[in-house]
């Protein structure tokens, strides 16, 4: 795994490659050159049914060279960092530009737009763990899943993994930035089998530092419990019910909101939230924040793919949509300021002024009363109209207590109505990718089940 002294050496190598690219750019008559470089070292150790799986390790290098020639932007990629390879990539990009159309919106950022304060966000914590110790963590994770119930005696695998690298961006317009980073994780996918039924569920934990990870025992126990609770699901009658969406599943809804207010859909006019800035998008008690600068945050970064810094902000405040997620191109198209979200969504969290520390999942089930707990959704929404229709599974809840697993049903609504109709958010928050949320309690939704 890349060590700190190697990061310093690699940064110097990347700076030299960038200087070469800028010099080569002049020889091929490029007006501007931008180069993105990344080197990543990764390993994965796994176990399945108490037996070790093959250990995988890799070193990956990626370079993306972009040029502006007479207002035309073009790019070429390579995995070879040698001077000749970088020169060939530059030549390829300029050759591509000859056949493009001028698009002034695609120009690189102006010097004044680049990030001027590249913060150290403490993202680099390589995991120095020996192979036998990593394998033991994977085996412990499996054993914890097996211990949940006798009907769990197989898994689709438990894994322990780690990545570390250096990301680098430089522009001939005067920007150079580099970010050392690491990411580690533990995951488990147990199989519950009973009376001919089979159900696979998963749980995982990730962090910039190994110290941020949930323990193998937690990962195994939670994944095993989720598999056990899902096995033998049956339909409920078609009807209209209160709905509780558990926290891991709700992160997907937060992701759909993010996509609906992001540059690509907005500039195409293909979002149900286009033009909604300054309007109510969620229930009044709900706010959504974004923080690019959270120390050791899984989705923290000092700048985006355009070299522009993000902003710590409220995207939604007391239900009102306050901001979009705009890369540089989309911002220019929409005649707005970029938000530093070019290829990057930072740490996002949804919160409610009504949430209390005591709002655990058990308390949220009590608030649900009678209705449907959703622990899995399949499919995606129509973000042009906001139409929401999903196949789901979960559990039927009666008087705040889980009665039986549910499967083979669908739910339908509209995302705008769902966001505005959030009754409560739980304190049982989890993080998946850049999204952090607790469970969502929603008022009546249409459920398609048995006749």
């Amino acid at each position: 795994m890349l060590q700190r002294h190697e990061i310093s050496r690699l940064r110097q190598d990347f700076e030299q490659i960038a200087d070469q690219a800028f010099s080569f750019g002049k020889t091929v008559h490029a007006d501007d050159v931008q180069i993105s470089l990344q080197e990543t070292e990764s390993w994965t150790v796994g176990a399945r049914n108490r037996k070790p799986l093959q250990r995988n390790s890799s070193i990956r290098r990626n370079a993306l060279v972009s040029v502006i020639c007479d207002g035309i932007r073009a790019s070429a990629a390579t995995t070879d960092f040698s001077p000749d390879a970088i020169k060939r990539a530059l030549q390829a990009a300029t050759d591509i530009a000859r056949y493009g159309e001028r698009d002034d919106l695609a120009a690189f950022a102006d010097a004044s737009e680049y990030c001027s304060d590249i913060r150290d966000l403490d993202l680099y914590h390589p995991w120095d763990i020996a192979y036998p110790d990593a394998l033991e963590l994977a085996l412990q994770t499996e054993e914890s899943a097996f211990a949940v119930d006798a009907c769990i005696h197989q898994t689709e695998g438990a894994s322990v993994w780690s990545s570390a690298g250096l990301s680098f961006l430089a522009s001939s317009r005067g920007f150079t930035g580099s970010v050392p980073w690491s990411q580690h994780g533990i995951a488990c996918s147990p199989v519950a089998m009973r009376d001919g039924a089979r159900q696979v569920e998963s749980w995982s934990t990730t962090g910039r530092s190994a110290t941020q990870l949930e323990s193998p025992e937690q990962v195994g126990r939670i994944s095993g419990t989720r598999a056990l609770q899902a096995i033998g699901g049956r339909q409920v009658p078609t009807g209209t019910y209160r709905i509780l969406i558990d926290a891991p599943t709700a992160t997907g809804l937060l992701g759909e909101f993010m996509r609906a207010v992001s540059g690509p859909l907005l500039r195409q006019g293909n979002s149900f939230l286009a033009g909604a800035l300054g309007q109510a998008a969620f229930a009044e008690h709900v706010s959504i924040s974004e923080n690019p600068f959270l120390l050791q945050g899984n989705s923290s970064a000092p700048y985006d793919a355009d070299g522009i810094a993000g902003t710590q902000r409220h995207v939604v405040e007391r239900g009102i949509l306050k901001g979009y997620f705009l890369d540089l191109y989309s911002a220019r198209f929409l005649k707005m300021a970029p938000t530093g979200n070019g290829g990057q969504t930072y740490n996002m969290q949804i919160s409610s002024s009504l949430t209390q520390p005591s709002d655990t999942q058990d308390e949220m089930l009590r608030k649900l009363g009678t209705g449907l707990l959703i622990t899995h959704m399949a499919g995606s929404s129509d973000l042009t109209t906001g139409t929401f229709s999903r196949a789901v599974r979960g559990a039927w809840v009666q008087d705040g207590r889980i009665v039986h697993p549910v499967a083979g049903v669908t739910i339908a609504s509209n995302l705008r109505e769902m966001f505005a109709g959030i009754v409560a958010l739980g304190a049982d928050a989890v993080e998946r990718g850049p999204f952090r949320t607790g469970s969502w309690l929603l008022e009546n939704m249409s459920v398609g089940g048995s006749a």
Side-chain angles (χ1 to χ4, degrees):
M1 193 61 64
L2 282 170
Q3 299 302 312
R4 292 189 182 275
H5 70 276
E6 294 176 292
I7 288 292
S8 298
R9 184 264 308 161
L10 194 57
R11 182 183 289 112
Q12 292 175 356
D13 291 346
F14 283 2
E15 290 172 350
Q16 184 177 9
I17 292 170
D19 288 341
Q20 292 170 346
F22 299 155
S23 296
F24 292 154
K26 294 175 182 177
T27 67
V28 295
H29 307 294
D31 299 320
D32 286 303
V33 175
Q34 184 167 286
I35 184 167
S36 171
L37 301 165
Q38 181 159 293
E39 180 168 316
T40 304
E41 291 191 14
S42 303
W43 57 258
T44 302
V45 172
R48 182 182 297 147
N49 302 325
R50 299 186 172 94
K51 295 181 180 179
L53 297 174
Q54 182 177 357
R55 180 185 181 184
N56 296 315
S57 59
S58 65
I59 299 176
R60 297 190 304 274
R61 286 185 155 196
N62 298 285
L64 181 67
V65 181
S66 301
V67 299
I68 303 291
C69 298
D70 297 324
I72 302 169
R73 181 169 178 164
S75 301
T78 180
T79 57
D80 185 347
F81 287 3
S82 69
D84 286 345
I86 298 298
K87 190 171 185 177
R88 287 195 298 271
L90 269 162
Q91 185 64 63
T94 54
D95 289 344
I96 294 169
R98 293 192 187 121
Y99 301 97
E101 294 184 2
R102 185 182 182 92
D103 185 355
D104 292 332
L105 300 181
F108 304 142
D110 295 330
S112 61
E113 293 178 304
Y114 283 117
C115 175
S116 59
D117 179 16
I118 301 178
R119 307 188 192 188
D120 180 0
L121 301 177
D122 197 21
L123 306 181
Y124 181 68
H125 295 269
W127 194 358
D128 293 321
I129 183 171
Y131 166 73
D133 296 329
L135 177 59
E136 181 60 27
L137 293 180
L139 291 168
Q140 288 174 12
T141 305
E142 267 204 325
E143 288 301 326
S144 295
F146 292 145
V148 169
D149 192 89
C151 76
I152 302 174
H153 51 84
Q154 292 183 15
T155 76
E156 291 195 346
S159 61
V160 178
W161 59 269
S162 177
S163 294
L166 180 68
S167 298
F168 177 91
L169 181 68
S171 168
S172 59
R173 289 195 170 189
F175 175 79
T176 301
S178 60
V179 181
W181 58 270
S182 59
Q183 198 100 49
H184 320 291
I186 302 174
C188 187
S189 299
V191 182
M193 293 184 286
R194 179 190 293 152
D195 300 328
R198 182 180 189 274
Q199 186 63 57
V200 181
E201 285 288 342
S202 300
W203 192 259
S204 62
T205 177
T206 60
R208 296 290 187 178
S209 168
T211 61
Q212 295 176 299
L213 301 178
E214 295 172 7
S215 70
E217 291 77 16
Q218 285 177 291
V219 174
R221 175 179 52 78
I222 295 172
S223 62
T225 301
R226 289 175 70 85
L228 179 66
Q229 292 176 341
I231 193 170
R234 61 182 189 266
Q235 291 183 318
V236 295
T238 295
T240 301
Y241 304 111
R242 283 165 65 88
I243 299 291
L244 180 65
I245 303 173
D246 79 347
T249 309
T251 59
L253 294 178
L254 194 53
E256 295 210 325
F257 160 73
M258 182 276 297
R259 289 189 291 276
V261 291
S262 291
L265 285 185
L266 292 172
R267 71 172 188 259
Q268 296 163 13
N270 290 335
S271 170
F272 73 98
L273 289 174
L277 206 61
Q279 299 177 15
F282 280 80
E284 188 176 358
H285 60 92
V286 173
S287 296
I288 299 175
S289 62
E290 182 186 37
N291 185 0
F293 310 122
L294 181 66
L295 295 180
Q296 296 188 19
N298 275 326
S299 297
S300 296
Y303 55 82
D304 69 357
D306 297 310
I308 297 173
T311 304
Q312 186 172 348
R313 59 180 177 147
H314 274 103
V315 182
V316 172
E317 188 171 15
R318 297 180 181 178
I320 304 299
L321 180 61
K322 294 287 189 178
Y324 292 146
F325 297 87
L326 300 180
D327 59 280
L328 181 59
Y329 186 93
S330 297
R332 287 170 172 166
F333 184 92
L334 297 169
K335 295 181 172 56
M336 302 178 72
T339 59
N341 292 108
Q344 178 76 49
T345 302
Y346 305 105
N347 308 288
M348 273 180 66
Q349 179 166 354
I350 186 170
S351 60
S352 167
S353 59
L354 304 178
T355 301
Q356 299 298 317
S358 58
D359 286 335
T360 62
Q361 187 180 62
D362 286 344
E363 177 62 18
M364 295 300 288
L365 288 172
R366 190 194 68 76
K367 290 183 178 183
L368 172 65
T370 297
L372 183 62
L373 167 66
I374 294 173
T375 58
H376 179 83
M377 291 193 295
S380 59
S381 305
D382 182 344
L383 296 182
T384 301
T385 63
T387 300
F388 179 90
S389 180
R390 300 287 192 87
V392 303
R393 65 173 184 261
W396 182 250
V397 178
Q398 187 81 35
D399 297 328
R401 298 173 64 87
I402 293 176
V403 178
H404 64 78
V406 171
V409 300
T410 60
I411 60 173
S413 185
N414 183 279
L415 287 172
R416 186 182 283 274
E417 295 175 4
M418 292 170 65
F419 295 161
I422 294 174
V423 176
L425 295 174
D428 51 344
V430 301
E431 185 175 342
R432 292 293 181 268
F435 309 115
R436 182 175 179 83
T437 179
S439 51
W440 292 23
L441 178 61
L442 303 173
E443 277 298 358
N444 298 335
M445 291 181 66
S446 296
V447 177
S450 59

